[in-house]
Amino acid sequence: MASAAEQLASNLNFSTFAKAEDLKKRLWFTLAALLVYRLGTHIPLPGLNPEAYAQAFRGQSGGILGLFNMFSGGAVQRMAIFALGIMPYISASIIVQLMTSVVPALENLKKEGEQGRKIINQYTRYGTVILGALQAYGIAAGLESGQGLVVEPGWFFRVSTVLTLLGGTMFLMWLGEQITSRGIGNGISLIIFAGIAAGLPTALAGTLELGRTGALSTFLILLVIIVAIAVIGIIVFVERAQRRLLIQYPKRQVGNRMFQGDTSHLPLKLNTSGVIPAIFASSLLLLPATVAGFANTTAMPSWATSIVAALGHGQPLYMVLYGALIAFFAFFYTAIVFNPKDTADNLKKHGGFIPGIRPGERTAEYIDYVLTRITVIGAIYLVFVCILPEILVSQTGIPLALGGTSLLIVVSVTLDTVAQIQGHLIAQQYEGLIKKSKLRGGKRGR
């Protein structure tokens, strides 16, 4: 028998959306906020020589700058005021999450509920300021070291660049929080999504132009489209997949009445680590290429040049290391964000238990056993999704618009946003049903 929520979801239609005034306001606010973000990616940083910088960026687009440019929606390519993007906030969030597993004080804050979460979020903001300031100063120093990139080098340019880029990051952090509270979906994820999606029309037009001129065959373009659709289907299936552990609660007696024990489920996502492993692996592997691009290649020793060449896109060593790092970070990050012992303690505290498993330590061991097994499947899935685009690029030479990492982000954010919209519609329809039942009850009373 379907649950009440499933029945409501099946009855959703366009009229329900038309009556959801609060949802429409949230959608318009989200679109307006994302439009402000896109406008900011086109406002250039003052004091730069645009032509010289564009030429320098083309030589570095294959390194980590290309990855940051994708996440920032092209702001790095234009060196706009939002060039740092939201990445310092994401890095600070990951660092704070790692520290909560190491520092006892932060671990205690995490267990304090809403108040502790607010303090941890404040620490994350402080970390964002520190990381953003360091990265902004590094960008300013790097721009000054380039030949003719800065019109008037000096401390004034460095300070103004740090303040501008850091201000842009802090504004995006604030904008993301506003989207989360007053809009639809996770604001930080939607900002990254908007940046990636903004580059799709240009990339698609470039691919079609290559097909029109004969540089790419129609068969290869169709093959890429079919593979992309298949990969999207796999991502949707795996991201929604869960391993549900049956949780049972004992019978309880209230006065002279005996209540039957309840049952529920503990959902374990097949891909608990999300897209973080792919981002970490890409950043680490692109770092040598970026350093080599800024350095003088003629002065580099032969062994260093060989390593940089072997770590290029499409090379066998790059593929092997990329897959290995993704698998490692999948297990590492899962161990950070999910603690089986805490979960087992919470179940024991509320009287819940897994049938056939003793509460406490044995339950923690069982949850860890199940989590490890499904993480193996999740790691294989991440490696497949991220390696397949690299193989297509190396074998066919087609400039793919979406890599594995960006494809994961786009599909995951879309799924989460659609789920939140559906949740608002279900709540709207549920409130309508309650009002109707009250009106009917009032008429019967008369």
Side-chain angles (χ1 to χ4, degrees):
M1 185 175 180
S3 64
E6 291 173 342
Q7 292 177 358
L8 285 173
S10 63
N11 294 329
L12 294 179
N13 49 39
F14 183 77
S15 62
T16 306
F17 177 80
K19 297 175 183 177
E21 295 297 332
D22 180 66
L23 176 60
K24 287 190 284 186
K25 290 179 181 178
R26 286 177 174 272
L27 287 173
W28 281 115
F29 179 84
T30 302
L31 292 174
L34 294 179
L35 178 61
V36 171
Y37 160 65
R38 290 303 305 156
L39 290 175
T41 60
H42 289 80
I43 301 175
L45 192 70
L48 282 183
N49 184 341
E51 296 180 359
Y53 176 77
Q55 184 177 358
F57 178 82
R58 282 193 292 269
Q60 301 295 327
S61 59
I64 198 170
L65 291 183
L67 181 67
F68 287 162
N69 184 61
M70 177 188 68
F71 288 142
S72 65
V76 175
Q77 181 179 2
R78 294 181 285 270
M79 193 45 67
I81 59 175
F82 289 164
L84 274 182
I86 205 69
M87 294 305 292
Y89 178 79
I90 296 175
S91 301
S93 300
I94 294 172
I95 291 173
V96 171
Q97 280 186 347
L98 295 176
M99 291 180 66
T100 53
S101 303
V102 179
V103 181
L106 290 178
E107 188 175 1
N108 293 332
L109 281 176
K110 186 178 179 181
K111 296 178 181 179
E112 289 182 3
E114 183 66 20
Q115 188 63 30
R117 187 182 65 83
K118 289 181 179 180
I119 298 176
I120 291 177
N121 287 342
Q122 196 63 27
Y123 289 156
T124 303
R125 296 187 184 99
Y126 295 150
T128 302
V129 173
I130 296 173
L131 291 177
L134 292 175
Q135 292 181 20
Y137 183 81
I139 290 175
L143 291 173
E144 282 191 338
S145 64
Q147 186 67 29
L149 297 182
V150 180
V151 178
E152 295 182 4
W155 276 106
F156 179 79
F157 171 78
R158 296 179 195 174
V159 172
S160 63
T161 298
V162 169
L163 293 177
T164 302
L165 294 179
L166 180 59
T169 295
M170 299 308 294
F171 176 79
L172 288 181
M173 183 182 69
W174 174 83
L175 191 65
E177 292 176 351
Q178 294 300 308
I179 293 174
T180 302
S181 61
R182 301 173 60 185
I184 285 291
N186 183 284
I188 304 299
S189 300
L190 282 173
I191 287 174
I192 299 176
F193 168 84
I196 296 174
L200 286 179
T202 303
L204 182 61
T207 302
L208 295 178
E209 180 64 21
L210 291 175
R212 189 186 66 82
T213 57
L216 293 176
S217 65
T218 305
F219 173 76
L220 283 178
I221 296 177
L222 291 176
L223 177 63
V224 169
I225 294 175
I226 294 173
V227 170
I229 294 174
V231 171
I232 290 173
I234 293 173
I235 293 175
V236 171
F237 175 78
V238 176
E239 292 298 324
R240 295 175 69 95
Q242 294 178 343
R243 170 70 163 88
R244 295 186 175 184
L245 300 181
L246 180 64
I247 305 297
Q248 192 168 347
Y249 294 91
K251 297 180 180 179
R252 56 193 177 92
Q253 185 173 358
V254 179
N256 296 325
R257 298 184 62 184
M258 179 67 70
F259 290 89
Q260 184 68 28
D262 296 329
T263 59
S264 64
H265 293 88
L266 174 64
L268 300 177
K269 287 191 64 176
L270 204 60
N271 178 30
T272 308
S273 58
V275 74
I276 296 298
I279 295 177
F280 276 15
S282 301
S283 301
L284 287 178
L285 282 180
L286 291 175
L287 192 58
T290 304
V291 174
F294 281 112
N296 187 1
T297 54
T298 58
M300 291 175 59
S302 57
W303 61 268
T305 306
S306 301
I307 291 176
V308 172
L311 291 177
H313 277 289
Q315 298 299 321
L317 180 60
Y318 176 87
M319 301 284 194
V320 172
L321 289 179
Y322 191 29
L325 286 173
I326 289 174
F328 168 76
F329 284 121
F331 282 94
F332 178 77
Y333 195 70
T334 298
I336 293 299
V337 299
F338 191 94
N339 191 331
K341 188 176 184 305
D342 290 344
T343 304
D345 291 341
N346 289 332
L347 287 176
K348 186 177 181 180
K349 186 185 302 181
H350 293 88
F353 63 93
I354 299 175
I357 306 296
R358 187 180 304 168
E361 188 67 27
R362 292 295 298 274
T363 299
E365 293 176 357
Y366 179 75
I367 294 175
D368 183 65
Y369 169 73
V370 174
L371 187 64
T372 301
R373 293 178 65 186
I374 64 176
T375 303
V376 171
I377 302 175
I380 294 173
Y381 145 76
L382 285 175
V383 171
F384 172 78
V385 169
C386 294
I387 291 293
L388 185 61
E390 298 289 340
I391 296 176
L392 285 177
V393 171
S394 61
Q395 296 298 321
T396 63
I398 295 179
L400 290 182
L402 284 179
T405 306
S406 54
L407 196 61
L408 279 171
I409 294 174
V410 168
V411 177
S412 300
V413 174
T414 302
L415 288 175
D416 292 340
T417 306
V418 170
Q420 287 204 24
I421 292 175
Q422 189 177 28
H424 279 277
L425 291 175
I426 291 174
Q428 174 76 18
Q429 193 170 16
Y430 184 69
E431 290 176 0
L433 292 175
I434 291 177
K435 290 180 180 179
K436 289 181 180 179
S437 64
K438 288 182 178 180
L439 289 175
R440 290 172 183 172
K443 291 179 179 178
R444 290 174 182 173
R446 293 176 186 174

